């Protein structure tokens, strides 16, 4: 299956190949034709499966086919974080390089005036975080009454982050005649309800990870006493010469302290969390992406959506309180066919958190009982990567279903597209 088979126009095929995509990923194969047909869509797929192109390409094509010399906003993409808005915006720019669509990224934490100016010049696609978008609407700079496409990216994360109220408000400003696309990695009751309210007879598209065979996240656990955690982390980082690691802590304060500690030990590190200014966040992320720092110490805000190419290593300095976050954290490595590793430091007090994660995964990752650094030979400490998502269109998904869903090993691509009746 090629991008051409999906019905994309030549100018999009050109930018896709310039981007180096030779073949559409499963979610792209399934979603693009339906979106081009004008259907509402509920897309269930883990991070790293190529969702951005799955919606950006067909939406760009549909926009291009309409005449819009005035450049009023016709597509709205909502994202939970600024970084993700920036990334999705970048994709629209890249894919649309041969087209006539204008795109703006609208998010808080940066000066609003350039955004107001850009809107004033006319934009077709808005990629926005809900808060700043509402602000712009309330100040009278944006008219959403001609939006034809609503895309909710990482919808589950937006709900987790408490954006439900803002999103409802925004949707009330949109015309009822529009195409809706909703993407979510998880399918909780709240997402199900949310989706039912927004989508009209949606096509359900679900896939497991792209390119199973090549994609691996080797997970392991390192048991360690609480007062030895920092030393263990340093040993781990030093054991892999110059390998970059994304390190997760539970709190912002913890991230700051740990980044400082690593710096003192001669390991270049930045902290990355929501108390940092937007420019500091962008700066740290760029430094990390460009390999100027070895370690980024982050809270869970970084666990979603951010795409760092070829990140070899995720280290859970603290296990997350919410087991689902574990899956999102380790999804930062081994993206798009690369292999990656995830190591979790577990103190005796945190065993219950480990058990929660294992329950969710349906796997034991508790194999390494020594406090030695994880050897680079993965065989001792790894388990097969968990199946990240079969996202069945059951009406009610109980906790048990969620667990079952993670139990299946990721060995075969499962992708189905089903007309949903509800
Ligand atoms: P998701 O939104 O599902 O987390 P992204 O859209 O961020 O995934 O894509 C993840 C990575 O895979 C990005 O680096 C993207 O450029 C790359 N990618 C997406 N689709 C393809 C494809 N068809 N071929 C090769 N790489 C792809
Ligand atoms: Mg995404």
């Amino acid at each position: 299956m090629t991008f051409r088979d999906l019905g994309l126009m030549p100018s999009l095929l050109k930018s896709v190949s310039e981007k180096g995509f030779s073949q559409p990923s499963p979610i792209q194969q399934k979603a693009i034709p339906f979106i081009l047909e004008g259907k509402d869509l509920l897309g269930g797929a883990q991070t790293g499966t190529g969702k951005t192109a799955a919606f950006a390409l067909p939406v760009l094509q549909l926009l291009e086919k309409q005449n819009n010399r005035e450049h009023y906003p016709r597509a709205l993409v909502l994202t939970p974080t600024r970084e993700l808005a920036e990334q999705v915006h970048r994709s629209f720019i890249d894919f649309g390089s041969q087209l006539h669509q204008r795109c703006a990224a609208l998010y808080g934490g940066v000066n609003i005036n350039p955004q107001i100016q850009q809107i004033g010049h006319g934009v077709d696609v808005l990629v926005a975080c809900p808060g700043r978008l509402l602000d712009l609407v309330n100040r009278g700079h944006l008219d959403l009454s001609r939006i034809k496409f609503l895309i909710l990216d990482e919808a589950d994360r937006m709900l987790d982050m408490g954006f439900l109220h803002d999103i409802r408000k925004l949707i009330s400003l949109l015309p009822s005649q529009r195409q809706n696309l909703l993407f979510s990695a998880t399918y909780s009751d709240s997402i199900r309800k949310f989706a039912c309210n927004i989508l009209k007879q949606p096509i359900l598209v679900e896939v497991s990870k792209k390119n199973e065979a090549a994609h691996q996240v080797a997970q392991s656990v390192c048991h360690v006493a609480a007062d030895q955690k920092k030393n263990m982390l340093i040993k781990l980082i030093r054991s892999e010469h110059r390998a970059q690691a994304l390190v997760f802590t539970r709190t912002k304060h913890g991230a700051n302290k740990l980044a400082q500690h690593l710096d003192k030990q001669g390991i270049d590190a930045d902290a990355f969390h929501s108390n940092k200014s937007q420019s500091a966040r962008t700066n740290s992320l760029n430094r990390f992406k460009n390999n100027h720092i070895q370690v980024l110490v982050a809270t869970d805000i970084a666990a979603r959506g951010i795409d760092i190419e070829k990140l070899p290593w995720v280290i859970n300095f603290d296990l997350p309180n919410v087991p689902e976050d574990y899956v999102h954290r380790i999804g930062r490595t081994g993206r798009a066919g690369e292999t990656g590793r995830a190591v979790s430091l577990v103190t005796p007090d945190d065993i219950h958190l480990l058990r929660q994660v294992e329950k969710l995964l349906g796997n034991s990752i508790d194999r390494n009982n020594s406090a030695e650094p994880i050897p680079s030979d993965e065989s001792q400490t790894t388990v097969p990567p968990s199946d990240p998502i079969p996202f069945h269109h059951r009406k009610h998904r109980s906790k048990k279903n969620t667990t079952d869903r993670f139990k299946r090993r990721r060995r075969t691509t499962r992708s189905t597209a089903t007309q949903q009746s509800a």
Side-chain angles (χ1 to χ4, degrees):
M1 168 96 64
T2 65
F3 279 102
R4 188 182 303 275
D5 299 334
L6 300 177
L8 292 172
M9 61 208 297
S11 41
L12 284 171
L13 295 175
K14 183 156 181 257
S15 47
V16 160
S17 84
E18 272 167 13
K19 197 121 168 127
F21 294 5
S22 49
Q23 212 194 327
S25 70
I27 187 118
Q28 291 159 5
Q29 294 180 21
K30 290 291 174 189
I32 290 174
F34 287 123
I35 300 175
L36 287 175
E37 279 176 31
K39 299 269 187 354
D40 275 17
L41 187 127
L42 175 54
Q46 265 292 4
T47 49
T49 48
K51 290 190 287 295
T52 320
F55 63 79
L57 292 169
V59 166
L60 278 166
Q61 174 153 327
L62 293 170
L63 289 171
E64 187 75 8
K65 297 227 153 140
Q66 299 173 351
N67 193 359
N68 184 25
R69 289 217 192 87
E70 293 166 65
H71 295 288
Y72 52 81
R74 288 174 299 154
L76 171 61
V77 186
L78 292 177
T79 71
T81 65
R82 299 155 184 179
E83 285 74 18
L84 191 59
E86 200 47 68
Q87 231 168 255
V88 170
H89 172 246
R90 188 73 251 158
S91 297
F92 269 93
I93 301 280
D94 291 348
F95 293 133
S97 61
Q98 316 285 321
L99 311 181
H100 304 89
Q101 308 306 315
R102 299 183 189 161
C103 182
L106 308 172
Y107 48 80
V110 295
N111 190 340
I112 199 166
N113 292 324
Q115 296 176 359
I116 293 174
Q117 275 179 6
Q118 194 182 3
I119 294 166
H121 292 134
V123 255
D124 301 271
V125 181
L126 308 170
V127 184
C129 296
R132 174 57 65 94
L133 189 71
L134 266 180
D135 195 9
L136 285 159
V137 170
N138 290 336
R139 293 188 195 197
H141 296 293
L142 257 180
D143 171 12
L144 301 179
S145 69
R146 290 198 271 184
I147 291 287
K148 285 270 175 288
F149 303 93
L150 172 67
I151 299 107
L152 299 154
D153 195 13
E154 312 242 354
D156 45 348
R157 188 56 164 184
M158 288 202 278
L159 295 195
D160 291 348
M161 289 172 73
F163 285 136
L164 182 60
H165 186 70
D166 284 356
I167 294 174
R168 283 224 183 98
K169 227 191 228 161
L170 285 165
I171 289 178
S172 74
L173 304 172
L174 308 181
S176 55
Q177 274 288 353
R178 55 166 204 269
Q179 188 176 356
N180 303 289
L181 314 173
L182 186 149
F183 293 89
S184 176
T186 52
Y187 196 44
S188 61
D189 277 357
S190 54
I191 272 291
R192 193 173 46 76
K193 259 195 231 145
F194 182 61
C196 281
N197 281 329
I198 294 173
L199 304 172
K200 287 182 213 117
Q201 300 191 312
I203 303 288
L204 188 102
V205 170
E206 51 174 326
V207 301
S208 66
K209 279 221 168 173
K210 169 176 177 278
N211 200 356
E212 283 55 33
H215 179 103
Q216 300 274 335
V217 178
Q219 303 164 63
S220 59
V221 164
C222 185
H223 288 278
V224 60
D227 62 355
Q228 286 305 308
K229 258 174 129 178
K230 283 185 185 154
N231 290 340
M232 179 55 67
L233 177 69
I234 289 166
K235 263 199 208 173
L236 279 170
I237 292 171
R238 290 208 173 119
S239 70
E240 297 276 315
H241 184 63
R242 294 300 306 164
Q244 279 194 296
L246 179 60
V247 175
F248 283 101
T249 60
R250 211 170 294 145
T251 65
K252 300 167 194 176
H253 180 64
N256 285 338
K257 270 189 8 195
L258 190 58
Q260 278 165 15
H261 182 78
L262 292 175
D263 254 342
K264 275 196 202 126
Q265 303 295 314
I267 296 167
D268 294 331
D270 273 1
F272 184 86
H273 52 69
S274 57
N275 276 6
K276 294 257 169 184
S277 71
Q278 187 53 38
S279 59
R281 269 160 68 174
T282 308
N283 199 5
S284 297
L285 194 60
N286 286 341
R287 275 154 50 82
F288 189 60
K289 284 184 174 176
N290 297 333
N291 223 333
H292 294 147
I293 50 174
Q294 190 182 358
V295 177
L296 196 64
V297 187
T299 56
D300 282 290
I301 191 169
R304 290 281 187 118
I306 294 171
D307 184 35
I308 300 166
E309 259 172 64
K310 299 187 186 160
L311 182 62
W313 224 10
V314 165
I315 302 176
N316 292 310
F317 183 77
D318 299 318
L319 279 175
N321 285 327
V322 185
E324 282 81 3
D325 281 341
Y326 177 89
V327 181
H328 294 296
R329 288 179 177 190
I330 71 166
R332 300 302 91 214
T333 180
R335 286 166 72 73
E338 300 293 328
T339 55
R341 268 194 308 151
V343 182
S344 302
L345 303 188
V346 180
T347 65
D349 283 349
D350 284 348
I351 293 283
H352 67 289
L353 296 174
L354 176 66
R355 298 293 171 240
Q356 281 180 22
V357 169
E358 290 179 333
K359 201 171 153 212
L360 180 70
L361 297 173
N363 280 331
S364 169
I365 46 175
D366 188 6
R367 298 279 175 81
N368 179 38
N369 286 304
S370 77
E372 288 303 306
I374 308 299
S376 39
D377 169 17
E378 286 167 2
S379 57
Q380 189 188 330
T381 52
T382 58
V383 292
S386 61
D387 185 357
I389 226 49
F391 172 105
H392 291 288
H393 56 287
R394 290 171 199 153
K395 288 262 168 70
H396 296 279
R397 178 172 287 292
S398 65
K399 213 77 242 126
K400 185 174 173 296
N401 288 338
T402 312
T403 310
D404 288 343
R405 160 162 74 84
F406 282 99
K407 267 187 184 156
R408 285 180 225 104
R409 300 284 154 83
R410 185 161 37 62
R411 281 287 168 263
T412 53
T413 309
R414 237 173 286 101
S415 71
T416 59
T418 326
Q419 180 89 47
Q420 206 186 34
S421 53

